[in-house]
Amino acid sequence: MKTKLVALMVCSLSFVALADTPAVKTVTVSGSAIMQAKPDAVRLSMQIQQTAEKVSDAKQKVDEQVVALTKALRKLGVKDDQLNNAPLRIQQDYQHDPERKLPQRYQVSRDIVVSLNDLSLYSTVLQQAADLGVTQMNQAEFLVSESDELYQKALQQAFAHAKTKASLLAQANGLKLGSAQKINEQGYAPAPVMKMARAMTDSAEVSFGQTDIRAEVSVEFEMNSH
C-alpha cells in the first residue's frame, strides 16, 4: 500500500473586518490524499437462462442449473450468505420467430450474485459457472474490504496536507497559523475495479489491479500576528 499526496494549489487569503473589532485574518486551502490498496474481495454477477414452449419446462431447467451451481460453490467453501439468487424473470421470446408463426416460447432467467472474500477462488468459480452452463457473466467488481478504515487515514492526511500549505502561506505573510475555523469534506468516491469476468487456466496470471481511495478537504485557518 502506498500513499500519494496530490497538491491542489487553490488558496485564498481573506481579511474580515468586523465592527469595532480587529480584522480577522484567515487563509483557505484545500488538501487531498490518496490511499492505494489491492482488492481483496470480488462480487460476481451471472445469469442462467432457458427457453421453452412451456414456462414450467424452462423454469425446471433453470432451477436444476441453479441447484447444481449452488452445490458446486458450497464445495468450494462459499457460504450461503455469500450467494444471492434473484427472483425468476419470465418473458415471451419472439427472437426465434419474429413473424410469430411458430408456437409461443418463453424465456425464464435468474440472476445470481456471488461474493468472494478469497480471491484465490476467482478463476475456479468462473470455470465452474462456465461448466454448468451459466448463460451470461457480467463484469466482476473487485473491492477493498477495509475501504472505510483507509478512507479515515486518507482524510487525516488530507487535513495535514491542507495545514502544511496554510502554514507556508501564513509564514510568507509574516503571520503565525492559528486554529481551523471551518472544515469542509469535499467527498469520497472509492471506485471499485471493474473487469470482464472470464475463466482462466491455472497457468494464467491473474492481476486484480489497485483501487484509489481519495479524500479531499477545504479548510479555513485563522492567522495571527507573532
Side-chain angles (χ1 to χ4, degrees), residues 129-145:
D131 293 343
L132 293 172
V134 167
T135 310
Q136 177 177 326
M137 291 294 303
N138 298 320
Q139 283 190 322
E141 183 180 2
F142 292 92
L143 309 167
V144 177
S145 60

Side-chain angles (χ1 to χ4, degrees), residues 43-47 111-114 136-140 197:
R43 184 180 295 118
L44 299 172
S45 176
M46 58 192 76
Q47 184 183 91
D111 291 334
I112 302 172
V113 177
V114 183
Q136 177 177 326
M137 291 294 303
N138 298 320
Q139 283 190 322

Side-chain angles (χ1 to χ4, degrees), residues 171-189:
Q171 291 177 19
N173 282 270
L175 300 170
K176 180 180 179 181
L177 188 67
S179 59
Q181 302 300 301
K182 294 180 182 179
I183 304 175
N184 292 320
E185 185 179 4
Q186 301 297 319
Y188 149 60

Side-chain angles (χ1 to χ4, degrees), residues 52-112:
E53 293 183 9
K54 293 183 179 180
V55 172
S56 58
D57 291 342
K59 178 182 180 300
Q60 181 178 353
K61 293 178 182 179
V62 169
D63 289 343
E64 289 174 352
Q65 286 180 277
V66 170
V67 170
L69 179 60
T70 301
K71 288 182 178 179
L73 293 177
R74 285 172 177 166
K75 288 182 179 180
L76 293 174
V78 179
K79 299 179 181 179
D80 289 343
D81 60 1
Q82 295 175 270
L83 297 172
N84 183 11
N85 296 335
L88 283 171
R89 287 201 303 270
I90 302 172
Q91 60 186 25
Q92 294 179 336
D93 178 24
Y94 296 112
Q95 293 183 0
H96 75 292
D97 181 26
E99 297 181 2
R100 306 184 187 182
K101 294 180 179 180
L102 300 176
Q104 177 62 59
R105 294 173 66 84
Y106 295 90
Q107 185 182 93
V108 177
S109 61
R110 187 188 295 275
D111 291 334
I112 302 172

